[in-house]
Amino acid sequence: DDNSALTVDLTNSDVYRHDRLVLQKDTLHIIRSIFLWRGTAYQRIALQNHGDRLASFDLTLLFDNDFADLFEVRGERRARRGIGASRLLGPSDVVLEYNGLDGKTRVTALHFDPRPTRLAVNSAIYHFELAPGHVTSLFVAVSCNKPVMQKPVPFFRGLLAHRREMRRSSAGAASIETSNNIFNEVLCQAMADLNMLTTETPQGRYPYAGIPWYSTTFGRDGLITAMQMLWVDPRVAQGVLRRLAFFQAKTVDPRADAEPGKILHEMRGGEMAALREVPFAQYYGSVDSTPLFVLLAGLYVERTGDEATLAEL
């Protein structure tokens, strides 16, 4: 209900070997549980044999990373790219690296538990001999731009910490209960969705607009969301105002449509933005972000009486 984890139930299709049925469909129940926490994607794959005989099979996980910039994903063509490489760190760890043209190294590390039967730089193979009724699990953690030797916390400990953090971050917001149970469910889902999209930044919590394209700081989106949430949780507005004030334009830059005092429209942290192949590292070409910022600042103080934050802004 709180969007802290994704659970997917699967089963196998008919598996043939040399034209002979060796694993009938729906024999294996596969449960994938996935959550994201502190720059790492955690996944548990649980398997249960519902057949009446031993199930002998290989489970293969394929993986890779082209480290494409988000603008490349959108269709931009680049004359040159950085250099990627993959290497094994040991019997249960793989590192995918990319040395960008901007001088930055970007890293994806995969950690498997237990160690796979066979591990390569783009695949992990597990061989299972699963007795009738038996259950087994394997765990995969995929971390981004972390020290490669740093092992993620175990799956269940991470999930518990993640849910506690989510509860703490939403504590203090107004809760609404009506006489209509369906409407109550809608409200709860809406709050859970907003909480999932709200991201911790150095200046405070900021509502991002969604994966994949809008998972970044957008001025207008953040300002309007904060304005609409003032009556529920004015702390969102405080984070939005502080972050946008921190990145307020201070110089004239025609390429970024920047002028002193303008409020950010959009910002990007990828390789192409860093190299100015696209103008969106910090982009100010918005007609409404600046007046919306002033409007939100006034409404926020009206709602909270927090004149200290206003003086800071």
Coordinates of all heavy atoms in Angstrom, one line a residue, residues 194 205-207 218-241 244 263 288-304:
L194 N 2.7 10.4 -4.1 CA 3.5 11.6 -3.9 C 4.7 11.4 -3.1 O 5.8 11.9 -3.4 CB 2.6 12.7 -3.3 CG 1.6 13.4 -4.2 CD1 0.5 14.1 -3.4 CD2 2.4 14.4 -5.1
R205 N 13.4 18.1 0.7 CA 12.6 17.2 -0.1 C 12.0 17.9 -1.3 O 11.4 19.0 -1.2 CB 11.6 16.5 0.7 CG 12.1 15.7 1.9 CD 11.1 14.9 2.6 NE 10.8 13.6 1.9 CZ 9.6 13.1 1.7 NH1 8.6 13.8 2.1 NH2 9.5 12.0 1.1
Y206 N 12.0 17.3 -2.5 CA 11.5 17.9 -3.7 C 10.7 16.9 -4.5 O 11.2 15.7 -4.7 CB 12.7 18.3 -4.6 CG 12.3 19.4 -5.6 CD1 12.6 20.7 -5.4 CD2 11.6 19.1 -6.8 CE1 12.2 21.7 -6.3 CE2 11.3 20.0 -7.7 CZ 11.6 21.4 -7.4 OH 11.2 22.3 -8.4
P207 N 9.5 17.2 -4.9 CA 8.7 16.3 -5.7 C 9.1 16.2 -7.2 O 9.0 17.2 -7.9 CB 7.3 16.8 -5.6 CG 7.4 18.3 -5.4 CD 8.8 18.5 -4.6
F218 N 12.3 19.9 -11.7 CA 11.6 20.8 -12.6 C 10.9 21.9 -11.8 O 10.2 21.6 -10.8 CB 10.5 20.1 -13.4 CG 11.0 19.4 -14.7 CD1 11.6 18.2 -14.6 CD2 10.9 20.0 -15.9 CE1 12.1 17.6 -15.7 CE2 11.3 19.4 -17.0 CZ 12.0 18.2 -17.0
G219 N 11.2 23.2 -12.2 CA 10.7 24.3 -11.4 C 9.2 24.3 -11.4 O 8.6 24.3 -10.3
R220 N 8.5 24.5 -12.5 CA 7.1 24.6 -12.6 C 6.4 23.4 -11.9 O 5.4 23.6 -11.1 CB 6.6 24.7 -14.0 CG 5.1 24.8 -14.2 CD 4.7 25.1 -15.6 NE 5.3 24.2 -16.5 CZ 5.8 24.5 -17.7 NH1 5.7 25.8 -18.1 NH2 6.4 23.6 -18.5
D221 N 6.8 22.2 -12.2 CA 6.1 21.0 -11.6 C 6.2 21.0 -10.1 O 5.2 20.8 -9.4 CB 6.8 19.7 -12.2 CG 6.5 19.6 -13.7 OD1 5.7 20.3 -14.2 OD2 7.1 18.6 -14.3
G222 N 7.4 21.3 -9.6 CA 7.6 21.3 -8.2 C 6.8 22.4 -7.5 O 6.2 22.2 -6.4
L223 N 6.8 23.6 -8.1 CA 6.1 24.7 -7.5 C 4.6 24.5 -7.4 O 4.0 24.7 -6.4 CB 6.4 26.0 -8.3 CG 7.8 26.5 -8.1 CD1 8.2 27.4 -9.3 CD2 7.9 27.3 -6.8
I224 N 4.0 24.0 -8.5 CA 2.6 23.7 -8.5 C 2.2 22.6 -7.6 O 1.2 22.7 -6.8 CB 2.1 23.4 -10.0 CG1 2.2 24.7 -10.8 CG2 0.6 23.0 -10.0 CD1 1.9 24.5 -12.3
T225 N 3.0 21.5 -7.5 CA 2.7 20.4 -6.6 C 2.8 20.9 -5.2 O 1.9 20.6 -4.3 CB 3.8 19.3 -6.8 OG1 3.7 18.8 -8.2 CG2 3.5 18.1 -5.9
A226 N 3.8 21.7 -4.8 CA 4.0 22.2 -3.5 C 2.8 23.1 -3.1 O 2.3 23.1 -2.0 CB 5.3 23.0 -3.3
M227 N 2.4 23.9 -4.1 CA 1.2 24.8 -3.8 C 0.0 24.0 -3.5 O -0.8 24.3 -2.6 CB 1.0 25.7 -5.1 CG 0.4 27.0 -4.8 SD 0.3 28.0 -6.3 CE 2.0 28.3 -6.6
Q228 N -0.3 23.0 -4.3 CA -1.5 22.2 -4.1 C -1.4 21.3 -2.8 O -2.4 20.9 -2.3 CB -1.7 21.3 -5.3 CG -2.0 22.0 -6.6 CD -2.2 21.1 -7.8 OE1 -1.7 20.0 -7.8 NE2 -2.9 21.6 -8.8
M229 N -0.2 21.1 -2.3 CA 0.0 20.3 -1.1 C 0.1 21.2 0.2 O 0.3 20.6 1.3 CB 1.2 19.4 -1.2 CG 1.0 18.2 -2.2 SD 2.3 17.1 -2.1 CE 2.1 16.4 -0.5
L230 N 0.0 22.5 0.0 CA 0.3 23.4 1.2 C -0.6 23.0 2.4 O -0.2 23.0 3.5 CB 0.0 24.8 0.8 CG 1.3 25.6 0.4 CD1 0.8 27.0 -0.1 CD2 2.3 25.7 1.5
W231 N -1.9 22.7 2.1 CA -2.8 22.4 3.2 C -2.6 21.0 3.8 O -3.0 20.8 4.9 CB -4.3 22.5 2.6 CG -4.6 21.4 1.7 CD1 -4.2 21.3 0.4 CD2 -5.4 20.2 1.9 NE1 -4.7 20.1 -0.2 CE2 -5.4 19.5 0.7 CE3 -6.0 19.7 3.1 CZ2 -6.1 18.2 0.6 CZ3 -6.7 18.5 2.9 CH2 -6.7 17.8 1.7
V232 N -1.9 20.1 3.1 CA -1.6 18.8 3.6 C -0.3 18.7 4.3 O -0.1 18.2 5.4 CB -1.6 17.8 2.4 CG1 -1.3 16.4 3.0 CG2 -3.0 17.8 1.7
D233 N 0.8 19.3 3.6 CA 2.1 19.2 4.2 C 3.0 20.3 3.6 O 3.6 20.2 2.6 CB 2.8 17.8 3.8 CG 4.1 17.6 4.5 OD1 4.5 18.5 5.2 OD2 4.6 16.5 4.4
P234 N 3.0 21.5 4.3 CA 3.8 22.6 3.8 C 5.3 22.4 3.8 O 6.0 23.2 3.2 CB 3.4 23.7 4.8 CG 2.9 23.0 6.0 CD 2.3 21.7 5.6
R235 N 5.8 21.3 4.4 CA 7.2 21.1 4.4 C 7.7 20.8 2.9 O 8.9 21.1 2.6 CB 7.6 19.9 5.2 CG 7.3 20.1 6.7 CD 7.5 18.8 7.5 NE 6.6 17.8 7.0 CZ 6.5 16.5 7.5 NH1 7.3 16.2 8.5 NH2 5.7 15.6 7.0
V236 N 6.8 20.3 2.1 CA 7.2 20.1 0.7 C 7.5 21.5 0.0 O 8.5 21.6 -0.7 CB 6.0 19.5 -0.1 CG1 6.3 19.4 -1.6 CG2 5.7 18.1 0.4
A237 N 6.7 22.5 0.3 CA 6.9 23.8 -0.2 C 8.3 24.4 0.3 O 9.0 25.0 -0.5 CB 5.8 24.8 0.2
Q238 N 8.6 24.1 1.5 CA 9.9 24.6 2.0 C 11.1 24.0 1.3 O 12.0 24.7 0.9 CB 10.0 24.3 3.5 CG 11.2 24.9 4.2 CD 11.4 24.4 5.6 OE1 11.4 23.2 5.9 NE2 11.5 25.3 6.6
G239 N 11.0 22.7 1.0 CA 12.1 22.1 0.2 C 12.2 22.6 -1.2 O 13.3 22.9 -1.7
V240 N 11.0 22.8 -1.8 CA 11.0 23.3 -3.2 C 11.6 24.7 -3.2 O 12.4 25.1 -4.1 CB 9.5 23.3 -3.7 CG1 9.4 24.1 -5.0 CG2 9.1 21.9 -4.0
L241 N 11.1 25.6 -2.3 CA 11.6 27.0 -2.3 C 13.1 27.1 -2.1 O 13.8 27.8 -2.8 CB 10.8 27.8 -1.3 CG 9.4 28.1 -1.6 CD1 8.7 28.6 -0.3 CD2 9.2 29.1 -2.7
L244 N 15.1 25.7 -5.3 CA 15.0 26.6 -6.4 C 15.7 27.9 -6.1 O 16.4 28.5 -7.1 CB 13.6 26.9 -6.8 CG 12.8 25.6 -7.4 CD1 11.4 26.0 -7.7 CD2 13.5 25.1 -8.6
I263 N 14.1 31.8 -12.1 CA 14.0 30.5 -11.4 C 14.1 29.4 -12.4 O 13.6 29.5 -13.5 CB 12.7 30.5 -10.6 CG1 12.7 31.5 -9.5 CG2 12.4 29.1 -10.0 CD1 13.7 31.3 -8.4
D288 N 6.9 30.8 -16.4 CA 6.1 30.8 -15.2 C 6.8 30.4 -14.0 O 6.2 30.6 -12.9 CB 4.8 30.0 -15.4 CG 5.1 28.6 -15.9 OD1 6.3 28.3 -16.1 OD2 4.1 27.9 -16.2
S289 N 8.0 29.8 -14.0 CA 8.6 29.4 -12.8 C 8.9 30.6 -11.8 O 8.7 30.4 -10.6 CB 9.9 28.7 -13.1 OG 9.7 27.4 -13.7
T290 N 9.4 31.7 -12.4 CA 9.7 32.8 -11.5 C 8.5 33.4 -10.8 O 8.5 33.5 -9.6 CB 10.5 33.9 -12.3 OG1 11.6 33.2 -13.0 CG2 11.0 35.0 -11.4
P291 N 7.4 33.8 -11.5 CA 6.3 34.3 -10.8 C 5.6 33.2 -9.8 O 5.2 33.6 -8.7 CB 5.3 34.7 -11.9 CG 5.8 34.1 -13.1 CD 7.2 33.9 -13.0
L292 N 5.7 31.9 -10.2 CA 5.1 30.9 -9.3 C 6.0 30.8 -8.1 O 5.4 30.5 -7.0 CB 5.1 29.6 -10.1 CG 4.0 29.3 -11.1 CD1 4.2 28.1 -11.9 CD2 2.6 29.3 -10.4
F293 N 7.3 31.0 -8.2 CA 8.2 31.0 -7.0 C 7.7 32.1 -6.0 O 7.6 31.8 -4.8 CB 9.6 31.2 -7.4 CG 10.6 31.2 -6.3 CD1 11.2 30.0 -5.8 CD2 10.9 32.4 -5.7 CE1 12.1 30.1 -4.8 CE2 11.8 32.4 -4.6 CZ 12.4 31.3 -4.2
V294 N 7.5 33.3 -6.5 CA 7.1 34.4 -5.7 C 5.8 34.1 -5.0 O 5.6 34.3 -3.8 CB 7.1 35.7 -6.5 CG1 6.6 36.9 -5.6 CG2 8.5 36.0 -7.0
L295 N 4.9 33.6 -5.8 CA 3.5 33.2 -5.3 C 3.6 32.2 -4.2 O 3.0 32.3 -3.2 CB 2.6 32.8 -6.5 CG 1.2 32.4 -6.2 CD1 0.4 33.5 -5.5 CD2 0.5 31.8 -7.4
L296 N 4.4 31.1 -4.4 CA 4.5 30.0 -3.5 C 5.1 30.6 -2.2 O 4.7 30.2 -1.1 CB 5.3 28.9 -4.0 CG 5.5 27.7 -3.0 CD1 4.1 27.1 -2.7 CD2 6.4 26.6 -3.6
A297 N 6.1 31.4 -2.3 CA 6.8 31.9 -1.1 C 5.8 32.7 -0.2 O 5.7 32.5 1.0 CB 8.0 32.8 -1.5
G298 N 4.9 33.5 -0.8 CA 3.9 34.2 -0.1 C 2.9 33.3 0.5 O 2.6 33.4 1.7
L299 N 2.4 32.3 -0.2 CA 1.4 31.4 0.3 C 2.0 30.5 1.4 O 1.3 30.2 2.4 CB 0.9 30.5 -0.8 CG 0.0 31.2 -1.9 CD1 -0.3 30.3 -3.1 CD2 -1.3 31.7 -1.3
Y300 N 3.3 30.2 1.3 CA 3.9 29.3 2.3 C 4.0 30.1 3.6 O 3.6 29.5 4.7 CB 5.3 28.9 1.8 CG 6.1 28.3 2.9 CD1 5.9 27.0 3.3 CD2 7.1 29.0 3.6 CE1 6.6 26.4 4.3 CE2 7.9 28.4 4.6 CZ 7.6 27.1 5.0 OH 8.4 26.5 6.0
V301 N 4.4 31.3 3.6 CA 4.5 32.1 4.9 C 3.1 32.4 5.4 O 2.9 32.3 6.6 CB 5.2 33.4 4.6 CG1 5.2 34.3 5.9 CG2 6.6 33.2 4.2
E302 N 2.1 32.6 4.6 CA 0.7 32.8 5.0 C 0.2 31.5 5.7 O -0.5 31.6 6.7 CB -0.1 33.0 3.7 CG -1.4 33.8 4.0 CD -2.1 34.2 2.6 OE1 -2.7 33.3 2.1 OE2 -1.8 35.3 2.2
R303 N 0.6 30.4 5.2 CA 0.1 29.1 5.7 C 0.8 28.7 7.0 O 0.2 28.2 7.9 CB 0.4 28.0 4.7 CG 0.2 26.6 5.2 CD -1.2 26.2 5.4 NE -1.4 24.7 5.6 CZ -1.3 24.2 6.8 NH1 -1.0 25.0 7.9 NH2 -1.4 22.9 7.0
T304 N 2.1 29.0 7.1 CA 3.0 28.5 8.2 C 3.4 29.6 9.2 O 3.8 29.3 10.3 CB 4.2 27.8 7.7 OG1 5.0 28.8 7.0 CG2 3.8 26.7 6.7

